Amino acid sequence: MAIILTESDAKALLQKVLRYSKADECEVNLQGEEWSNIRYALNKVTTCGSKTYKTISVQSAFGKKVGVATVDEFDDASLEKAVRRSEEVAQLAPENPEYIGLLGPQQYLPASGFFDSTANMSAVDRAKAVAQSIQIAKSQKQTVAGYLEDRVGYSAMMNSKGLFAYYPSTRVNFSATIRTENGTGSGYATQGVSDFPKLNTASATQIALQKALGSVGARAIEPGKYTVILEPLAAAVLLEHLFRSLDARSADEGRSFLSKPGGKTKLGEQIMDERVTIYSDPTNPELPASPWSADGRAQEKLNWIEKGVVKNLAYSRYWAQKKGVKAVPSPNNVMMVGGTASLDDLIKSTQRGILVTKFWYIRSVDPQSLLVTGLTRDGTFYIENGKIKHPVKNFRFNESPVIMLNNLETLGKVERVVSSEGSFSNYLIPAMKIREFTFTSLSDAV
């Protein structure tokens, strides 16, 4: 059986599994993916690999007693065995007081994140893309390391109440780090696309090269509060801590920056600059996403922060029922509205400040204020009188993205970026100029 099933084949398989069910309710989730990668360092390819998988997960429920079993064998006996196992587990499980039953049929937006160009990528395509990056580094007698991965996959679900959902998708992520020969300069760039021809490893590597050469001879300057210009990647890895905290229950229970005393929340309040609008939209052509959530709820275009005001929070179906509100799923993609200024415009308008290429090793300090800490990396530059004057040694920072978005000076243009903090999530985020950003100490790391 193929790894990537068509919608009709997935539907037929899920219907077969459901016919084995004897439970009060049954939900079946099907996923398949073909994932390939190529990694390089010291201007040479070091590893490449490929992985395929396909799994079915069966959830059975008797009243509020719920059990789950997963299988990656697709013959009839194995599928029936998975259903029986999920039923056995459910009968043994204690009642889940938060189980509220399955959804019926849903209507989904017509989102499409699947591109044949990416689905048909070959090992030669990957090698050619990486070769362009290596050639640029070699031609300048510098050293590059990088990583390219592409994925084609799908997910589908069906339940005993008539819900069926199917979504195929493709994605390519690329990153390159260039170190200068003497080891004192470093630059980083990344790209994420759904459609492979839009990937340009040469231009990304040129950006990394420019940063690496420019960061040689970094000088130490005193930590403190500075006006900063954050490139979209640097902004994204801070903002994703905010994106992950838009949950209603944690706000209601006092565990969030959106909490207020007495079990109240900041829903409906202005908490940041009125130019800040953060939204999700599964149909966005530059960042397409699944039009349905993991539990089958329909995703929609939704403003989470609109002109600085908290407009929506994510509710599980249980918590929404408890609170008597609409059950809004967490977003499958996140975007922020930007401005028209280029990165050069932001630099030219800065009397004295710091240009940050990238943050890394970001950790939460206080979830109730959303304070995080981390370090700059791969090119940090001092700006004076509208020009980059010289590279500076890296800093540790302590900052909250909420405070940051209250100290907004200017928004730049939006770019699609790939998080460099492990999740590899893609976002559409603008460059931004922020006043009074807090650097707490210096770091000797390059």
Side-chain angles (χ1 to χ4, degrees), residues 48-66:
C48 60
S50 186
K51 179 178 77 174
T52 60
Y53 77 89
K54 186 169 60 180
T55 61
I56 276 189
S57 178
V58 183
Q59 174 184 291
S60 296
F62 295 94
K64 288 182 175 292
K65 295 158 69 74
V66 183

mmCIF file with all atom_site columns, all heavy atoms in Angstrom, residues 48-66:
data_model
loop_
_atom_site.group_PDB
_atom_site.id
_atom_site.type_symbol
_atom_site.label_atom_id
_atom_site.label_alt_id
_atom_site.label_comp_id
_atom_site.label_asym_id
_atom_site.label_entity_id
_atom_site.label_seq_id
_atom_site.pdbx_PDB_ins_code
_atom_site.Cartn_x
_atom_site.Cartn_y
_atom_site.Cartn_z
_atom_site.occupancy
_atom_site.B_iso_or_equiv
_atom_site.pdbx_formal_charge
_atom_site.auth_seq_id
_atom_site.auth_comp_id
_atom_site.auth_asym_id
_atom_site.auth_atom_id
_atom_site.pdbx_PDB_model_num
ATOM 1   N N   . CYS A 1 48 ? 22.799  12.095 4.494  1.00 0.00 ? 48 CYS A N   1
ATOM 2   C CA  . CYS A 1 48 ? 21.494  12.304 3.872  1.00 0.00 ? 48 CYS A CA  1
ATOM 3   C C   . CYS A 1 48 ? 20.628  11.115 4.275  1.00 0.00 ? 48 CYS A C   1
ATOM 4   O O   . CYS A 1 48 ? 21.139  10.044 4.603  1.00 0.00 ? 48 CYS A O   1
ATOM 5   C CB  . CYS A 1 48 ? 21.589  12.446 2.354  1.00 0.00 ? 48 CYS A CB  1
ATOM 6   S SG  . CYS A 1 48 ? 22.294  11.022 1.526  1.00 0.00 ? 48 CYS A SG  1
ATOM 7   N N   . GLY A 1 49 ? 19.360  11.313 4.277  1.00 0.00 ? 49 GLY A N   1
ATOM 8   C CA  . GLY A 1 49 ? 18.496  10.233 4.727  1.00 0.00 ? 49 GLY A CA  1
ATOM 9   C C   . GLY A 1 49 ? 17.077  10.403 4.252  1.00 0.00 ? 49 GLY A C   1
ATOM 10  O O   . GLY A 1 49 ? 16.704  11.443 3.703  1.00 0.00 ? 49 GLY A O   1
ATOM 11  N N   . SER A 1 50 ? 16.307  9.369  4.492  1.00 0.00 ? 50 SER A N   1
ATOM 12  C CA  . SER A 1 50 ? 14.904  9.404  4.097  1.00 0.00 ? 50 SER A CA  1
ATOM 13  C C   . SER A 1 50 ? 14.117  8.504  5.034  1.00 0.00 ? 50 SER A C   1
ATOM 14  O O   . SER A 1 50 ? 14.621  7.461  5.475  1.00 0.00 ? 50 SER A O   1
ATOM 15  C CB  . SER A 1 50 ? 14.760  8.937  2.646  1.00 0.00 ? 50 SER A CB  1
ATOM 16  O OG  . SER A 1 50 ? 13.430  9.104  2.223  1.00 0.00 ? 50 SER A OG  1
ATOM 17  N N   . LYS A 1 51 ? 12.921  8.916  5.346  1.00 0.00 ? 51 LYS A N   1
ATOM 18  C CA  . LYS A 1 51 ? 12.081  8.120  6.248  1.00 0.00 ? 51 LYS A CA  1
ATOM 19  C C   . LYS A 1 51 ? 10.648  8.159  5.734  1.00 0.00 ? 51 LYS A C   1
ATOM 20  O O   . LYS A 1 51 ? 10.177  9.203  5.277  1.00 0.00 ? 51 LYS A O   1
ATOM 21  C CB  . LYS A 1 51 ? 12.145  8.700  7.661  1.00 0.00 ? 51 LYS A CB  1
ATOM 22  C CG  . LYS A 1 51 ? 11.290  7.953  8.681  1.00 0.00 ? 51 LYS A CG  1
ATOM 23  C CD  . LYS A 1 51 ? 11.439  8.553  10.063 1.00 0.00 ? 51 LYS A CD  1
ATOM 24  C CE  . LYS A 1 51 ? 10.652  9.826  10.213 1.00 0.00 ? 51 LYS A CE  1
ATOM 25  N NZ  . LYS A 1 51 ? 10.678  10.349 11.595 1.00 0.00 ? 51 LYS A NZ  1
ATOM 26  N N   . THR A 1 52 ? 9.997   7.041  5.799  1.00 0.00 ? 52 THR A N   1
ATOM 27  C CA  . THR A 1 52 ? 8.575   7.005  5.467  1.00 0.00 ? 52 THR A CA  1
ATOM 28  C C   . THR A 1 52 ? 7.834   6.353  6.628  1.00 0.00 ? 52 THR A C   1
ATOM 29  O O   . THR A 1 52 ? 8.378   5.469  7.302  1.00 0.00 ? 52 THR A O   1
ATOM 30  C CB  . THR A 1 52 ? 8.296   6.201  4.185  1.00 0.00 ? 52 THR A CB  1
ATOM 31  O OG1 . THR A 1 52 ? 8.741   4.856  4.372  1.00 0.00 ? 52 THR A OG1 1
ATOM 32  C CG2 . THR A 1 52 ? 9.031   6.800  3.000  1.00 0.00 ? 52 THR A CG2 1
ATOM 33  N N   . TYR A 1 53 ? 6.630   6.803  6.853  1.00 0.00 ? 53 TYR A N   1
ATOM 34  C CA  . TYR A 1 53 ? 5.823   6.138  7.876  1.00 0.00 ? 53 TYR A CA  1
ATOM 35  C C   . TYR A 1 53 ? 4.354   6.346  7.571  1.00 0.00 ? 53 TYR A C   1
ATOM 36  O O   . TYR A 1 53 ? 3.952   7.283  6.876  1.00 0.00 ? 53 TYR A O   1
ATOM 37  C CB  . TYR A 1 53 ? 6.160   6.664  9.276  1.00 0.00 ? 53 TYR A CB  1
ATOM 38  C CG  . TYR A 1 53 ? 5.569   8.012  9.595  1.00 0.00 ? 53 TYR A CG  1
ATOM 39  C CD1 . TYR A 1 53 ? 4.292   8.110  10.161 1.00 0.00 ? 53 TYR A CD1 1
ATOM 40  C CD2 . TYR A 1 53 ? 6.260   9.182  9.336  1.00 0.00 ? 53 TYR A CD2 1
ATOM 41  C CE1 . TYR A 1 53 ? 3.739   9.347  10.449 1.00 0.00 ? 53 TYR A CE1 1
ATOM 42  C CE2 . TYR A 1 53 ? 5.721   10.411 9.625  1.00 0.00 ? 53 TYR A CE2 1
ATOM 43  C CZ  . TYR A 1 53 ? 4.453   10.489 10.179 1.00 0.00 ? 53 TYR A CZ  1
ATOM 44  O OH  . TYR A 1 53 ? 3.907   11.704 10.457 1.00 0.00 ? 53 TYR A OH  1
ATOM 45  N N   . LYS A 1 54 ? 3.566   5.444  8.091  1.00 0.00 ? 54 LYS A N   1
ATOM 46  C CA  . LYS A 1 54 ? 2.115   5.550  7.965  1.00 0.00 ? 54 LYS A CA  1
ATOM 47  C C   . LYS A 1 54 ? 1.515   4.870  9.194  1.00 0.00 ? 54 LYS A C   1
ATOM 48  O O   . LYS A 1 54 ? 1.883   3.733  9.503  1.00 0.00 ? 54 LYS A O   1
ATOM 49  C CB  . LYS A 1 54 ? 1.636   4.879  6.687  1.00 0.00 ? 54 LYS A CB  1
ATOM 50  C CG  . LYS A 1 54 ? 0.152   5.055  6.399  1.00 0.00 ? 54 LYS A CG  1
ATOM 51  C CD  . LYS A 1 54 ? -0.198  4.591  4.992  1.00 0.00 ? 54 LYS A CD  1
ATOM 52  C CE  . LYS A 1 54 ? 0.126   3.143  4.779  1.00 0.00 ? 54 LYS A CE  1
ATOM 53  N NZ  . LYS A 1 54 ? -0.213  2.669  3.429  1.00 0.00 ? 54 LYS A NZ  1
ATOM 54  N N   . THR A 1 55 ? 0.666   5.529  9.896  1.00 0.00 ? 55 THR A N   1
ATOM 55  C CA  . THR A 1 55 ? 0.088   4.964  11.114 1.00 0.00 ? 55 THR A CA  1
ATOM 56  C C   . THR A 1 55 ? -1.413  5.222  11.177 1.00 0.00 ? 55 THR A C   1
ATOM 57  O O   . THR A 1 55 ? -1.917  6.195  10.610 1.00 0.00 ? 55 THR A O   1
ATOM 58  C CB  . THR A 1 55 ? 0.721   5.574  12.389 1.00 0.00 ? 55 THR A CB  1
ATOM 59  O OG1 . THR A 1 55 ? 0.472   6.982  12.399 1.00 0.00 ? 55 THR A OG1 1
ATOM 60  C CG2 . THR A 1 55 ? 2.220   5.323  12.435 1.00 0.00 ? 55 THR A CG2 1
ATOM 61  N N   . ILE A 1 56 ? -2.077  4.341  11.888 1.00 0.00 ? 56 ILE A N   1
ATOM 62  C CA  . ILE A 1 56 ? -3.495  4.526  12.207 1.00 0.00 ? 56 ILE A CA  1
ATOM 63  C C   . ILE A 1 56 ? -3.636  4.509  13.722 1.00 0.00 ? 56 ILE A C   1
ATOM 64  O O   . ILE A 1 56 ? -3.073  3.641  14.393 1.00 0.00 ? 56 ILE A O   1
ATOM 65  C CB  . ILE A 1 56 ? -4.357  3.422  11.568 1.00 0.00 ? 56 ILE A CB  1
ATOM 66  C CG1 . ILE A 1 56 ? -4.686  3.796  10.123 1.00 0.00 ? 56 ILE A CG1 1
ATOM 67  C CG2 . ILE A 1 56 ? -5.633  3.200  12.356 1.00 0.00 ? 56 ILE A CG2 1
ATOM 68  C CD1 . ILE A 1 56 ? -5.688  2.892  9.462  1.00 0.00 ? 56 ILE A CD1 1
ATOM 69  N N   . SER A 1 57 ? -4.371  5.467  14.228 1.00 0.00 ? 57 SER A N   1
ATOM 70  C CA  . SER A 1 57 ? -4.656  5.540  15.653 1.00 0.00 ? 57 SER A CA  1
ATOM 71  C C   . SER A 1 57 ? -6.166  5.412  15.852 1.00 0.00 ? 57 SER A C   1
ATOM 72  O O   . SER A 1 57 ? -6.935  6.156  15.240 1.00 0.00 ? 57 SER A O   1
ATOM 73  C CB  . SER A 1 57 ? -4.146  6.872  16.224 1.00 0.00 ? 57 SER A CB  1
ATOM 74  O OG  . SER A 1 57 ? -4.467  6.975  17.589 1.00 0.00 ? 57 SER A OG  1
ATOM 75  N N   . VAL A 1 58 ? -6.569  4.475  16.693 1.00 0.00 ? 58 VAL A N   1
ATOM 76  C CA  . VAL A 1 58 ? -7.989  4.217  16.929 1.00 0.00 ? 58 VAL A CA  1
ATOM 77  C C   . VAL A 1 58 ? -8.340  4.625  18.353 1.00 0.00 ? 58 VAL A C   1
ATOM 78  O O   . VAL A 1 58 ? -7.677  4.210  19.306 1.00 0.00 ? 58 VAL A O   1
ATOM 79  C CB  . VAL A 1 58 ? -8.318  2.724  16.727 1.00 0.00 ? 58 VAL A CB  1
ATOM 80  C CG1 . VAL A 1 58 ? -9.820  2.488  16.910 1.00 0.00 ? 58 VAL A CG1 1
ATOM 81  C CG2 . VAL A 1 58 ? -7.858  2.243  15.356 1.00 0.00 ? 58 VAL A CG2 1
ATOM 82  N N   . GLN A 1 59 ? -9.360  5.456  18.471 1.00 0.00 ? 59 GLN A N   1
ATOM 83  C CA  . GLN A 1 59 ? -9.846  5.862  19.804 1.00 0.00 ? 59 GLN A CA  1
ATOM 84  C C   . GLN A 1 59 ? -11.268 5.339  19.985 1.00 0.00 ? 59 GLN A C   1
ATOM 85  O O   . GLN A 1 59 ? -12.158 5.667  19.204 1.00 0.00 ? 59 GLN A O   1
ATOM 86  C CB  . GLN A 1 59 ? -9.845  7.384  19.935 1.00 0.00 ? 59 GLN A CB  1
ATOM 87  C CG  . GLN A 1 59 ? -10.472 7.883  21.239 1.00 0.00 ? 59 GLN A CG  1
ATOM 88  C CD  . GLN A 1 59 ? -10.554 9.390  21.305 1.00 0.00 ? 59 GLN A CD  1
ATOM 89  O OE1 . GLN A 1 59 ? -9.529  10.058 21.399 1.00 0.00 ? 59 GLN A OE1 1
ATOM 90  N NE2 . GLN A 1 59 ? -11.764 9.927  21.244 1.00 0.00 ? 59 GLN A NE2 1
ATOM 91  N N   . SER A 1 60 ? -11.444 4.502  21.011 1.00 0.00 ? 60 SER A N   1
ATOM 92  C CA  . SER A 1 60 ? -12.774 3.960  21.303 1.00 0.00 ? 60 SER A CA  1
ATOM 93  C C   . SER A 1 60 ? -13.259 4.509  22.626 1.00 0.00 ? 60 SER A C   1
ATOM 94  O O   . SER A 1 60 ? -12.466 4.760  23.539 1.00 0.00 ? 60 SER A O   1
ATOM 95  C CB  . SER A 1 60 ? -12.714 2.424  21.373 1.00 0.00 ? 60 SER A CB  1
ATOM 96  O OG  . SER A 1 60 ? -12.359 1.882  20.114 1.00 0.00 ? 60 SER A OG  1
ATOM 97  N N   . ALA A 1 61 ? -14.562 4.696  22.741 1.00 0.00 ? 61 ALA A N   1
ATOM 98  C CA  . ALA A 1 61 ? -15.138 5.239  23.978 1.00 0.00 ? 61 ALA A CA  1
ATOM 99  C C   . ALA A 1 61 ? -16.403 4.468  24.339 1.00 0.00 ? 61 ALA A C   1
ATOM 100 O O   . ALA A 1 61 ? -17.254 4.195  23.486 1.00 0.00 ? 61 ALA A O   1
ATOM 101 C CB  . ALA A 1 61 ? -15.459 6.726  23.803 1.00 0.00 ? 61 ALA A CB  1
ATOM 102 N N   . PHE A 1 62 ? -16.490 4.121  25.645 1.00 0.00 ? 62 PHE A N   1
ATOM 103 C CA  . PHE A 1 62 ? -17.726 3.582  26.221 1.00 0.00 ? 62 PHE A CA  1
ATOM 104 C C   . PHE A 1 62 ? -18.137 4.571  27.305 1.00 0.00 ? 62 PHE A C   1
ATOM 105 O O   . PHE A 1 62 ? -17.493 4.646  28.362 1.00 0.00 ? 62 PHE A O   1
ATOM 106 C CB  . PHE A 1 62 ? -17.477 2.197  26.819 1.00 0.00 ? 62 PHE A CB  1
ATOM 107 C CG  . PHE A 1 62 ? -17.102 1.163  25.788 1.00 0.00 ? 62 PHE A CG  1
ATOM 108 C CD1 . PHE A 1 62 ? -15.764 0.903  25.510 1.00 0.00 ? 62 PHE A CD1 1
ATOM 109 C CD2 . PHE A 1 62 ? -18.086 0.470  25.084 1.00 0.00 ? 62 PHE A CD2 1
ATOM 110 C CE1 . PHE A 1 62 ? -15.413 -0.042 24.566 1.00 0.00 ? 62 PHE A CE1 1
ATOM 111 C CE2 . PHE A 1 62 ? -17.742 -0.484 24.138 1.00 0.00 ? 62 PHE A CE2 1
ATOM 112 C CZ  . PHE A 1 62 ? -16.398 -0.736 23.860 1.00 0.00 ? 62 PHE A CZ  1
ATOM 113 N N   . GLY A 1 63 ? -19.139 5.356  27.018 1.00 0.00 ? 63 GLY A N   1
ATOM 114 C CA  . GLY A 1 63 ? -19.457 6.451  27.929 1.00 0.00 ? 63 GLY A CA  1
ATOM 115 C C   . GLY A 1 63 ? -18.285 7.417  27.978 1.00 0.00 ? 63 GLY A C   1
ATOM 116 O O   . GLY A 1 63 ? -17.846 7.912  26.933 1.00 0.00 ? 63 GLY A O   1
ATOM 117 N N   . LYS A 1 64 ? -17.744 7.664  29.186 1.00 0.00 ? 64 LYS A N   1
ATOM 118 C CA  . LYS A 1 64 ? -16.582 8.541  29.331 1.00 0.00 ? 64 LYS A CA  1
ATOM 119 C C   . LYS A 1 64 ? -15.296 7.748  29.549 1.00 0.00 ? 64 LYS A C   1
ATOM 120 O O   . LYS A 1 64 ? -14.272 8.305  29.941 1.00 0.00 ? 64 LYS A O   1
ATOM 121 C CB  . LYS A 1 64 ? -16.804 9.503  30.504 1.00 0.00 ? 64 LYS A CB  1
ATOM 122 C CG  . LYS A 1 64 ? -17.840 10.588 30.221 1.00 0.00 ? 64 LYS A CG  1
ATOM 123 C CD  . LYS A 1 64 ? -17.982 11.542 31.395 1.00 0.00 ? 64 LYS A CD  1
ATOM 124 C CE  . LYS A 1 64 ? -18.926 12.692 31.074 1.00 0.00 ? 64 LYS A CE  1
ATOM 125 N NZ  . LYS A 1 64 ? -18.367 13.609 30.056 1.00 0.00 ? 64 LYS A NZ  1
ATOM 126 N N   . LYS A 1 65 ? -15.343 6.449  29.305 1.00 0.00 ? 65 LYS A N   1
ATOM 127 C CA  . LYS A 1 65 ? -14.142 5.603  29.393 1.00 0.00 ? 65 LYS A CA  1
ATOM 128 C C   . LYS A 1 65 ? -13.540 5.510  27.992 1.00 0.00 ? 65 LYS A C   1
ATOM 129 O O   . LYS A 1 65 ? -14.193 5.025  27.072 1.00 0.00 ? 65 LYS A O   1
ATOM 130 C CB  . LYS A 1 65 ? -14.501 4.227  29.934 1.00 0.00 ? 65 LYS A CB  1
ATOM 131 C CG  . LYS A 1 65 ? -15.018 4.274  31.381 1.00 0.00 ? 65 LYS A CG  1
ATOM 132 C CD  . LYS A 1 65 ? -15.847 3.043  31.710 1.00 0.00 ? 65 LYS A CD  1
ATOM 133 C CE  . LYS A 1 65 ? -15.000 1.771  31.770 1.00 0.00 ? 65 LYS A CE  1
ATOM 134 N NZ  . LYS A 1 65 ? -14.170 1.720  32.987 1.00 0.00 ? 65 LYS A NZ  1
ATOM 135 N N   . VAL A 1 66 ? -12.298 5.971  27.851 1.00 0.00 ? 66 VAL A N   1
ATOM 136 C CA  . VAL A 1 66 ? -11.688 6.136  26.525 1.00 0.00 ? 66 VAL A CA  1
ATOM 137 C C   . VAL A 1 66 ? -10.367 5.380  26.448 1.00 0.00 ? 66 VAL A C   1
ATOM 138 O O   . VAL A 1 66 ? -9.560  5.413  27.386 1.00 0.00 ? 66 VAL A O   1
ATOM 139 C CB  . VAL A 1 66 ? -11.423 7.633  26.226 1.00 0.00 ? 66 VAL A CB  1
ATOM 140 C CG1 . VAL A 1 66 ? -10.853 7.818  24.824 1.00 0.00 ? 66 VAL A CG1 1
ATOM 141 C CG2 . VAL A 1 66 ? -12.705 8.442  26.388 1.00 0.00 ? 66 VAL A CG2 1
#
